[in-house]
Coordinates of all heavy atoms in Angstrom, one line a residue:
T600 N -57.1 -16.8 -63.9 CA -56.4 -17.9 -64.6 C -56.7 -19.2 -63.9 O -56.8 -19.3 -62.7 CB -54.9 -17.6 -64.7 OG1 -54.4 -17.5 -63.3 CG2 -54.6 -16.4 -65.5
N601 N -56.8 -20.3 -64.7 CA -56.9 -21.6 -64.1 C -55.5 -22.2 -63.9 O -54.8 -22.3 -64.9 CB -57.7 -22.5 -65.1 CG -58.9 -23.0 -64.6 OD1 -59.2 -22.8 -63.4 ND2 -59.7 -23.6 -65.4
D607 N -50.2 -28.7 -51.0 CA -50.0 -27.7 -49.9 C -51.0 -26.5 -50.2 O -51.6 -26.1 -49.2 CB -48.6 -27.2 -49.8 CG -47.7 -28.1 -49.0 OD1 -48.1 -29.1 -48.4 OD2 -46.4 -27.9 -49.1
K609 N -53.8 -26.5 -51.8 CA -55.2 -26.9 -51.7 C -55.6 -27.0 -50.2 O -56.6 -26.5 -49.8 CB -55.4 -28.3 -52.4 CG -55.4 -28.2 -53.9 CD -55.6 -29.6 -54.5 CE -55.5 -29.5 -56.0 NZ -55.5 -30.8 -56.6
A618 N -61.5 -20.3 -42.0 CA -61.4 -19.0 -41.3 C -62.6 -18.1 -41.7 O -63.2 -17.4 -40.9 CB -60.1 -18.4 -41.5
E620 N -65.5 -18.8 -43.1 CA -66.8 -19.3 -42.7 C -66.9 -19.1 -41.2 O -68.1 -18.8 -40.7 CB -66.9 -20.8 -43.0 CG -67.1 -21.1 -44.4 CD -68.3 -20.4 -45.0 OE1 -69.4 -20.4 -44.4 OE2 -68.2 -19.8 -46.1
G627 N -63.6 -16.0 -34.8 CA -62.4 -15.3 -35.2 C -61.9 -15.7 -36.6 O -62.3 -16.8 -37.1
G630 N -58.3 -20.4 -39.2 CA -58.7 -21.8 -39.5 C -57.4 -22.6 -39.6 O -56.3 -22.1 -40.0
T642 N -59.9 -30.7 -38.7 CA -60.1 -29.3 -39.1 C -60.6 -28.6 -37.8 O -61.3 -29.1 -37.0 CB -61.1 -29.2 -40.2 OG1 -62.3 -29.6 -39.8 CG2 -60.6 -30.0 -41.5
E664 N -57.9 -32.4 -31.8 CA -58.7 -33.3 -32.6 C -57.9 -34.4 -33.3 O -58.2 -35.6 -33.3 CB -59.6 -32.6 -33.6 CG -60.5 -33.5 -34.4 CD -61.3 -32.7 -35.5 OE1 -61.6 -31.5 -35.3 OE2 -61.7 -33.4 -36.4
T678 N -48.6 -32.6 -41.1 CA -48.5 -31.2 -41.5 C -49.6 -30.5 -41.0 O -50.8 -30.9 -41.1 CB -48.4 -31.1 -43.0 OG1 -47.3 -31.9 -43.5 CG2 -48.3 -29.7 -43.5
I679 N -49.4 -29.3 -40.4 CA -50.5 -28.4 -40.0 C -50.5 -27.2 -41.0 O -49.5 -26.6 -41.4 CB -50.4 -27.9 -38.6 CG1 -51.6 -27.1 -38.2 CG2 -49.1 -27.1 -38.4 CD1 -51.7 -26.9 -36.6
I693 N -47.6 -26.6 -31.5 CA -47.1 -27.4 -32.7 C -45.8 -28.1 -32.5 O -45.7 -29.3 -32.8 CB -47.0 -26.4 -33.9 CG1 -48.5 -25.9 -34.3 CG2 -46.3 -27.0 -35.1 CD1 -48.4 -24.7 -35.2
L738 N -40.9 -18.6 -6.6 CA -40.9 -18.8 -5.2 C -40.5 -20.2 -4.8 O -41.1 -21.2 -5.3 CB -42.3 -18.5 -4.7 CG -42.6 -18.3 -3.2 CD1 -41.7 -17.1 -2.7 CD2 -44.0 -18.1 -3.0
E745 N -39.9 -32.2 -6.1 CA -40.3 -33.6 -5.8 C -41.1 -34.2 -6.9 O -41.1 -35.4 -7.1 CB -41.0 -33.7 -4.4 CG -40.0 -33.5 -3.3 CD -40.6 -33.8 -1.9 OE1 -41.7 -34.4 -1.8 OE2 -40.0 -33.3 -0.9
A749 N -40.5 -37.8 -8.6 CA -41.6 -38.8 -8.7 C -41.6 -39.3 -10.2 O -41.8 -40.5 -10.5 CB -43.0 -38.3 -8.2
L751 N -39.2 -39.2 -12.4 CA -38.0 -40.0 -12.7 C -38.0 -41.4 -12.1 O -37.5 -42.3 -12.7 CB -36.7 -39.2 -12.2 CG -36.4 -38.0 -13.0 CD1 -35.3 -37.2 -12.3 CD2 -36.0 -38.3 -14.4

Side-chain angles (χ1 to χ4, degrees):
T600 59
N601 243 351
D607 279 349
K609 288 177 184 177
E620 288 304 312
T642 64
E664 184 182 335
T678 298
I679 187 165
I693 290 165
L738 192 61
E745 288 187 18
L751 290 169

